[in-house]
Amino acid sequence: MDEQKKSCDSVEPPQFGQYLMTFKQTNQEVIDFYARSNAIPIPGLPKFDHRRAVDGQRLITFLKPLPSSSDGRKFELRSRVLGVYDKGKAGSVVETETVLAEKGCDEYTKAIGSTFFIGQGNWGGPKGITWKDCGVLPSSNSATGPSTTSFPPPEGREPDVVHITQTNKESAHLYRLNGDYNPLHATPEHGQKMGFGGAIMHGLYSWNTACHALLQSLGGSDPANMREFQARFAAPVKPGDKLVTEVWKTGTIEDDWEEIRFIMTVEDHKENEVDSDEIRTRNLCHKHTGKQRLAIRPPSPVRGVAFPHPKLVVSASRDGTVREWKLLQQDPPRYDCSITSHGSSFVNAVAFCPPSKRYADGLVVSGGKDTVIEVREPGREPNKDAEALLLGHAHNVCALDVSQDGTYIVSGSWDSSARVWTVGKWECDALLEGHQGSVWAVLAYDKDTIITGCADQTIRIFSPSGKLLQTIKGSTDVVRALSRASSNHPSGADFASAGNDSVIRLWKLNGKQVGELHGHESFIYSLSSLPTGELVSSGEDRTVRIWNNNECIQTITHPAISVWGVAACSETGDIISGASDKKVRVFSRVKERQAAAEVIQAFEGSVKASAIPKQQVGDVQKETLPGPDFLQQKSGTKEGQVIMIKEHDGSVGAYQWSQGNQSWMSVGTVVDAVGSSGKKTDYLGKDYDFVFDVDIEDGKPPLKLPYNLSQNPYEAATKFIQDNELPMTYLDQVADFITTNTQGATLGQSSQVLADSDPLGTESRYRPGESNPNASTPSLPISRPKVLPQTSYLSIKTANLRTIRKKIEELNGQLTNEGYRDAVLNTDQLAALDAMMQPLEQSLAGSSSAGDALGHGVDLVMQIVTTWPAGQQLPALDLLRLLTAATPAAAAYRTQEGGSLVDVLEGSKVFEDPDRPNNIMLAVRVFSNLFETSEGRILAEESFDKIHALVKSSANNSNRNLTIAMMTLYVNYAVLLNSESSRSLQQSRDRGLAFMNDLSGIIRSTVDSEAVYRGLVAVGTLMELGEEIQTAAKEIYDLGGALKKAEQAVKEPRIKGVVGEIRALLTAST
């Protein structure tokens, strides 16, 4: 190949490494990127269009350090084309080499890269040659064409290093100063045309960031410690994304150089968004009006919480992270999340050491399954060294506390011991022995006193030196929680304890019991003390309870199986809870610190919709229960009292008395079994609510795990492990599996498969955490029918129209009171809305619809969407979703300016409001339901670019229902593109490539089984578009890697089945 040389006189090299400005070369001005890229054609080849090109991979080899000065030297970039490969319809690959050298002297670096020109193949060129044939020596052996060799991380190992880089909206513009003036990274138009939804970061920004992360983490930021760096581009990065680089040391050493493997991913940077479909709150009594300030969402059950001061919340989760949530805004409250620690196993306990002269911001202390106690300064990045690692426990660290003066830390463990550690010295100064079981609770009472609670039902009091001072018996079960009592507590108690017997006991330090608090209905996991002298507790009965003297004055029911932790802020009295539903919630008595009304309403609704297993409330004789009138006629006798009511529809509702509100509040509906058909399953002669299949080893029959909802998950898990002679290290995994697969379901699932049921079969399939009307046990089918390609459109049409109608009327009244006169619906419009409900219901059920009524309904709903505030749009968007599926009038709707409903949704800014993910989710469902009518399909096809850009802008949102809605839309578009009339069009293949890019990234990062399954179905259907899509899937989007990620993330037979079908398509295209 011809070699080209470009001179660069007097270049001053940076002191920290080497760089190449191969795009800008010697030009000092801003260049026309596309003109420069096309300026030098390759002889004998077609002229490629760089506007439809993406980076493939890059390798750089560092041959020699740059000199410290360029005085008297001339450097040059030597570029040559190594190969051009014709990949048929998919496109062409151009592979180049660039060498930085001193003129007439040594070479310093050699860089090899490949560029894929989408859809620019079939010109009769070679399919590929090896790099070796070209005389270059990359680290990996390449097959024909550019190397697509993957370097996966070691299986079954957590990364040795995690490095985080936060980009911002200006990152691409700043990086552009390096000379890469591709407009794709500067303005949104080019990215929208290519299906990215707007501007994206430079690929080389991510590439260089990963290189920097490795060198900083493992090489002491010394460029001499890196010989070679290679990475493949897998998916785009948006300005503002948080980049997480996970690094593994392989131990493979050659000539004193160790091979390092890494993966860079985009972290979901909206973790502290409120998900009004999943995040709940409660309306509480006037003494502690617990309107939720904010629900914050670590991605696994939250086991420990701390509330050191009003502007900082700390949580520990079973996902191995400790997270700090800093208050950025007071009214409404808004938090910023950062991971301060990322371990390799569950983190169960967290505490906070108060500020001191040495540690001005205090210290975060955490511990868990790996037995190590980690001490870090707040705000310190997880890849930075901890202040201290405290080693000594032989088993899971399950309890932590810090003395009030911040001088020592006390820890409790499953190894039947507690330990005392001096802050600053970081050594174990005392071993607190004598426990006959796990030490579940520790309390650094004062500088002279430490209290422990143990599984042997005993409380022990020690001195910090380790001397046993007092043994207190009186608990009838495991002691799990301890808390200091306020000095002004009416009982005169010094501290409180609680545990598996559901009783809070009040004690003097001399061992005398001075009180008992009754009200919890299951295990109590956590206790804390409020500055008012009140106690707060949480437990397995899904409640947080506030206690004044000996009386429960308030009960906060959570939509979760367990509330694992509770803590109080000593300055404000605000309360924080951490629960099994993966959320941390902050409650406040002060209105200015409470959450928005819609968040509170969503929480209340979720609590009402919770399913309560019959076993939790005892034998219910439905025939003898009072009716709903009882709620108006009779008052409760105490806070938290629960009664059963026979509802008008025959169901049994549970209501809880709020002493503060002086009213009964719905807390759920009693069902035979959450997530089951209500029928027991026989196993070994006994009846169970669930009998799970558990795959322990490939190729062997699954083990049976029986479970009743009245059992504690850990007890059932322990018995399962013992019965099957499995390692006890499986305990947490098995217990977590039980909890996840039996948590409260949303009510209202039909007991029959609906006429418009999802063709993907989700109504009759067991889904963890949801009610399944047809089966109580997930099982492997004997054989699985072929799924691909999907040929029918999916819709989401189930709804309670009466509830939607009532909500619109309620919000309309609020708008009247708030002065939104122009937006309020008048009496005639409300009557038209009523008139629409019956024909809409009939249409959704498959009967003929009254077109005029539905047409008027579309006009009314669009009026609401365009005039009502965003916080009140939810029911209207839900109604628009149904109308889109029921009538072609929705797709035919036009504004006075000629805009369609797609234009209206774009103009409503619904996709620009990430704090309301449910609004976005319903808007995406509107787009999905367009495919139900021929008029809707035409609109969906005409508006492809706009819809794709809008939906893709929300791809990083963590809302599960939104992700599923997106995947449903992608499935429908895949069916449309693969239809007989569209399959042969180049436009369909271009759009398929854009979707393939999206889907490969989403499948890699999503762990929700339903979202992954629908994404895979969309991918498999798109693969039917032909060779161009299939080749790009393999060589550009690394679909093989995405499929492997999906299999690892979701262990379900249907996932395995559809992955197998896709792999067969990939193999057939080779």
Side-chain angles (χ1 to χ4, degrees):
M1 298 287 178
D2 291 341
E3 187 175 280
Q4 301 157 9
K5 300 181 180 180
K6 303 292 178 182
S7 296
C8 313
D9 294 336
S10 300
V11 177
E12 181 65 32
Q15 297 302 308
F16 53 84
Q18 305 175 26
Y19 69 96
L20 301 174
M21 297 182 70
T22 56
F23 294 110
K24 193 172 180 180
Q25 299 178 353
T26 59
N27 198 314
Q28 298 300 311
E29 305 300 327
V30 175
I31 64 169
D32 183 330
F33 178 85
Y34 292 138
R36 171 59 61 83
S37 300
N38 291 318
I40 305 175
I42 303 173
L45 299 180
K47 186 175 182 180
F48 295 126
D49 183 1
H50 281 76
R51 289 173 297 182
R52 299 185 64 216
V54 293
D55 247 322
Q57 67 175 15
R58 293 191 181 247
L59 161 72
I60 188 169
T61 304
F62 303 98
L63 306 173
K64 182 181 178 181
L66 280 170
S68 59
S69 172
S70 62
D71 289 344
R73 302 173 185 266
K74 287 191 175 182
F75 294 91
E76 57 188 13
L77 297 175
R78 302 170 183 168
S79 300
R80 62 171 178 163
V81 176
L82 297 180
V84 183
Y85 311 107
D86 185 348
K87 297 299 182 180
K89 291 182 180 180
S92 297
V93 177
V94 176
E95 195 164 26
T96 59
E97 175 192 84
T98 302
V99 175
L100 175 64
E102 186 176 350
K103 193 170 184 179
C105 297
D106 296 328
E107 296 180 349
Y108 292 95
T109 60
K110 180 181 292 184
I112 298 173
S114 63
T115 302
F116 187 81
F117 293 85
I118 299 172
Q120 302 177 60
N122 275 340
W123 46 272
K127 292 297 182 183
I129 56 177
T130 65
W131 272 349
K132 185 177 179 181
D133 295 333
C134 296
V136 293
L137 300 172
S139 61
S140 62
N141 293 323
S142 164
T144 58
S147 172
T148 55
T149 304
S150 289
F151 297 95
E155 291 190 11
R157 263 184 57 194
E158 292 294 321
D160 297 300
V161 174
V162 177
H163 188 282
I164 295 177
T165 303
Q166 177 67 63
T167 68
N168 59 44
K169 297 301 181 182
E170 300 304 324
S171 294
H173 294 134
L174 292 171
Y175 188 81
R176 198 166 184 253
L177 300 177
N178 287 320
D180 186 345
Y181 292 115
N182 189 338
L184 174 62
H185 313 300
T187 58
E189 293 81 13
H190 296 276
Q192 289 169 352
K193 290 179 181 178
M194 295 183 72
F196 298 133
I200 62 174
M201 291 297 300
H202 302 72
L204 283 176
Y205 173 88
S206 305
W207 191 83
N208 283 312
T209 298
C211 183
H212 175 262
L214 266 66
L215 192 61
Q216 182 186 58
S217 302
L218 301 177
S221 296
D222 183 352
N225 290 330
M226 181 174 286
R227 183 179 71 176
E228 189 177 87
F229 177 76
Q230 180 176 358
R232 180 177 48 79
F233 301 95
V237 175
K238 294 287 190 67
D241 283 347
K242 182 181 288 187
L243 301 177
V244 180
T245 307
E246 296 176 299
V247 185
W248 289 263
K249 301 177 70 174
T250 66
T252 302
I253 299 175
E254 182 179 343
D255 297 332
D256 295 329
W257 295 95
E258 182 177 6
E259 181 180 301
I260 304 297
R261 297 193 177 186
F262 68 94
I263 294 176
M264 172 182 277
T265 56
V266 174
E267 182 183 82
D268 181 2
H269 57 286
K270 300 187 182 296
E271 287 172 288
N272 61 335
E273 284 187 359
V274 172
D275 178 349
S276 60
D277 219 23
E278 299 182 12
I279 295 178
R280 341 284 193 195
T281 188
R282 279 275 288 137
N283 218 353
L284 308 172
C285 76
H286 67 283
K287 290 188 176 181
H288 196 286
T289 311
K291 305 287 183 70
Q292 184 181 341
R293 289 173 59 189
L294 188 67
I296 44 188
R297 186 181 186 182
S300 283
V302 180
R303 294 300 298 265
V305 291
F307 206 158
H309 57 77
K311 294 186 177 181
L312 179 64
V313 168
V314 184
S315 61
S317 170
R318 297 186 72 177
D319 65 356
T321 66
V322 177
R323 296 171 184 253
E324 297 174 13
W325 307 85
K326 295 181 180 178
L327 184 65
L328 300 181
Q329 176 180 302
Q330 186 68 64
D331 186 14
R334 184 166 65 88
Y335 285 81
D336 176 60
C337 169
S338 63
I339 297 176
T340 188
S341 176
H342 200 312
S344 58
S345 56
F346 303 153
V347 183
N348 297 317
V350 66
F352 190 82
C353 186
S356 62
K357 289 183 179 180
R358 183 173 178 181
Y359 303 108
D361 296 323
L363 295 166
V364 176
V365 186
S366 61
K369 188 177 178 182
D370 63 3
T371 75
V372 178
I373 300 170
E374 187 176 59
V375 183
R376 284 184 170 274
E377 293 182 90
R380 190 168 179 80
E381 293 181 0
N383 61 298
K384 305 290 187 182
D385 289 340
E387 179 65 25
L389 298 176
L390 311 183
L391 308 177
H393 282 295
H395 213 317
N396 179 41
V397 177
C398 54
L400 289 168
D401 197 23
V402 180
S403 63
Q404 289 182 301
D405 60 5
T407 57
Y408 71 86
I409 298 167
V410 59
S411 58
S413 169
W414 287 7
D415 65 6
S416 303
S417 75
R419 291 174 179 264
V420 182
W421 317 80
T422 300
V423 173
K425 183 180 177 183
W426 307 129
E427 294 178 2
C428 180
D429 287 336
L431 180 63
L432 312 185
E433 298 181 289
H435 304 91
Q436 302 303 309
S438 299
V439 181
W440 281 106
V442 294
L443 175 63
Y445 184 82
D446 58 29
K447 64 183 180 65
D448 300 317
T449 310
I450 294 172
I451 307 173
T452 65
C454 184
D456 61 8
Q457 306 178 16
T458 304
I459 297 169
R460 294 174 175 84
I461 301 178
F462 295 86
S463 69
S465 65
K467 181 181 179 180
L468 179 63
L469 304 177
Q470 179 84 19
T471 299
I472 302 174
K473 295 185 177 293
S475 299
T476 61
D477 209 327
V478 174
V479 180
R480 285 182 173 268
L482 295 167
S483 175
R484 187 179 294 101
S486 175
S487 59
N488 59 354
H489 195 278
S491 70
D494 296 314
F495 70 96
S497 70
N500 287 9
D501 60 6
S502 310
V503 179
I504 301 173
R505 291 180 170 82
L506 304 174
W507 306 91
K508 299 290 289 183
L509 286 174
N510 62 11
K512 180 181 179 181
Q513 182 175 326
V514 294
E516 285 189 357
L517 309 180
H518 295 267
H520 277 287
E521 298 168 357
S522 189
F523 296 176
I524 300 173
Y525 292 135
S526 185
L527 288 171
S528 188
S529 179
L530 296 173
T532 56
E534 298 156 304
L535 288 172
V536 57
S537 58
S538 69
E540 182 78 5
D541 60 1
R542 68 189 189 126
T543 67
V544 168
R545 296 176 186 247
I546 314 299
W547 306 84
N548 190 344
N549 198 355
N550 293 330
E551 180 185 0
C552 177
I553 62 170
Q554 182 179 354
T555 304
I556 309 172
T557 301
H558 285 52
I561 295 296
S562 311
V563 185
W564 291 105
V566 68
C569 178
S570 61
E571 296 181 38
T572 64
D574 291 349
I575 295 171
I576 179 178
S577 67
S580 61
D581 63 349
K582 309 177 184 180
K583 296 174 181 66
V584 176
R585 294 178 172 88
V586 183
F587 297 87
S588 178
R589 284 174 164 146
V590 180
K591 186 174 182 180
E592 289 73 19
R593 296 200 296 269
Q594 296 166 4
E598 60 266 23
V599 178
I600 297 170
Q601 291 169 1
F603 178 86
E604 293 169 353
S606 70
V607 173
K608 292 177 183 178
S610 297
I612 304 172
K614 188 191 239 181
Q615 291 84 349
Q616 285 191 8
V617 296
D619 187 24
V620 177
Q621 299 295 327
K622 186 184 297 187
E623 296 75 14
T624 64
L625 294 177
D629 292 343
F630 178 91
L631 303 174
Q632 306 300 323
Q633 298 168 357
K634 300 289 185 179
S635 298
T637 58
K638 63 177 182 178
E639 170 67 29
Q641 177 187 358
V642 176
I643 63 168
M644 303 297 131
I645 295 292
K646 183 178 179 180
E647 305 285 11
H648 292 304
D649 62 2
S651 64
V652 177
Y655 289 81
Q656 190 175 76
W657 177 252
S658 169
Q659 195 73 23
N661 290 337
Q662 287 292 298
S663 65
W664 295 100
M665 307 187 70
S666 174
V667 293
T669 299
V670 178
V671 296
D672 288 329
V674 178
S676 79
S677 63
K679 299 178 181 179
K680 294 283 188 175
T681 300
D682 179 83
Y683 178 66
L684 299 180
K686 293 183 179 181
D687 289 335
Y688 293 93
D689 294 320
F690 297 90
V691 180
F692 296 108
D693 284 340
V694 180
D695 289 314
I696 298 296
E697 186 175 343
D698 288 340
K700 292 189 177 181
L703 301 177
K704 297 296 183 181
L705 169 56
Y707 177 72
N708 275 320
L709 287 159
S710 56
Q711 291 180 273
N712 178 274
Y714 274 86
E715 293 174 354
T718 301
K719 187 176 187 304
F720 170 75
I721 289 170
Q722 292 171 345
D723 290 348
N724 292 282
E725 298 181 348
L726 298 174
M728 192 54 70
T729 53
Y730 286 164
L731 178 63
D732 282 320
Q733 290 175 267
V734 176
D736 191 50
F737 171 85
I738 294 172
T739 300
T740 301
N741 286 278
T742 58
Q743 55 189 319
T746 300
L747 299 178
Q749 300 286 341
S750 172
S751 60
Q752 298 178 351
V753 178
L754 301 176
D756 65 329
S757 61
D758 190 335
L760 291 183
T762 54
E763 279 80 13
S764 59
R765 181 183 58 77
Y766 175 81
R767 284 188 288 182
E770 295 194 20
S771 176
N772 178 9
N774 300 310
S776 61
T777 305
S779 60
L780 287 170
I782 296 173
S783 62
R784 299 191 64 83
K786 185 178 179 183
V787 173
L788 303 176
Q790 176 76 13
T791 57
S792 58
Y793 298 107
L794 308 182
S795 61
I796 308 174
K797 297 191 291 187
T798 55
N800 188 326
L801 289 174
R802 259 179 278 177
T803 300
I804 296 174
R805 168 65 180 85
K806 183 179 179 181
K807 193 64 179 179
I808 289 177
E809 185 173 11
E810 176 187 323
L811 294 173
N812 195 59
Q814 291 181 11
L815 292 175
T816 302
N817 296 333
E818 294 170 6
Y820 287 88
R821 298 183 181 276
D822 295 336
V824 171
L825 301 181
N826 58 38
T827 304
D828 292 340
Q829 289 172 320
L830 289 173
L833 201 62
D834 284 333
M836 178 190 72
M837 292 299 167
Q838 185 174 355
L840 176 57
E841 190 170 13
Q842 292 172 345
S843 178
L844 292 172
S847 303
S848 59
S849 60
D852 289 344
L854 295 185
H856 292 322
V858 171
D859 293 336
L860 281 173
V861 171
M862 298 305 282
Q863 176 183 329
I864 296 175
V865 172
T866 54
T867 61
W868 282 22
Q872 279 78 31
Q873 289 178 359
L874 194 68
L877 289 168
D878 207 10
L879 204 51
L880 180 59
R881 162 184 70 93
L882 301 172
L883 286 166
T884 305
T887 174
Y893 172 86
R894 293 296 182 272
T895 65
Q896 291 182 348
E897 295 77 20
S900 68
L901 69 82
V902 177
D903 299 310
V904 170
L905 290 176
E906 180 186 35
S908 70
K909 309 296 184 184
V910 63
F911 288 94
E912 299 177 20
D913 191 355
D915 290 331
R916 292 186 172 86
N918 282 329
N919 284 14
I920 303 174
M921 176 266 293
L922 289 173
V924 175
R925 287 183 174 182
V926 170
F927 294 154
S928 296
N929 283 355
L930 281 173
F931 293 84
E932 283 295 287
T933 67
S934 58
E935 292 84 353
R937 291 191 287 275
I938 292 172
L939 177 60
E941 185 172 18
E942 292 175 345
S943 306
F944 173 86
D945 291 336
K946 189 170 294 183
I947 291 175
H948 183 213
L950 290 172
V951 172
K952 187 163 181 177
S953 67
S954 301
N956 287 331
N957 199 297
S958 60
N959 184 302
R960 172 184 183 265
N961 290 329
L962 171 55
T963 304
I964 293 174
M966 289 177 59
M967 295 301 95
T968 303
L969 176 65
Y970 280 23
V971 169
N972 285 346
Y973 262 119
V975 173
L976 178 66
L977 296 175
N978 195 44
S979 64
E980 187 174 347
S981 60
S982 301
R983 189 181 303 133
S984 60
L985 301 177
Q986 180 60 45
Q987 175 180 267
S988 295
R989 292 192 289 275
D990 290 344
R991 291 175 173 179
L993 287 169
F995 275 154
M996 191 66 74
N997 178 43
D998 299 349
L999 288 164
S1000 62
I1002 294 172
I1003 291 170
R1004 288 173 187 276
S1005 60
T1006 301
V1007 295
D1008 180 82
S1009 63
E1010 191 60 43
V1012 170
Y1013 183 66
R1014 295 188 181 217
L1016 290 170
V1017 170
V1019 165
T1021 304
L1022 290 172
M1023 294 281 286
E1024 298 287 337
L1025 289 175
E1027 181 185 356
E1028 182 177 347
I1029 298 290
Q1030 294 166 2
T1031 303
K1034 286 189 295 185
E1035 300 194 3
I1036 300 303
Y1037 305 122
D1038 187 27
L1039 183 58
L1043 296 179
K1044 186 174 181 180
K1045 279 274 190 181
E1047 283 186 309
Q1048 292 172 341
V1050 184
K1051 304 290 186 181
E1052 287 189 12
R1054 63 180 186 145
I1055 299 294
K1056 187 175 182 179
V1058 74
V1059 166
E1061 290 187 48
I1062 296 173
R1063 285 199 176 117
L1065 289 171
L1066 287 173
T1067 302
S1069 68
T1070 302

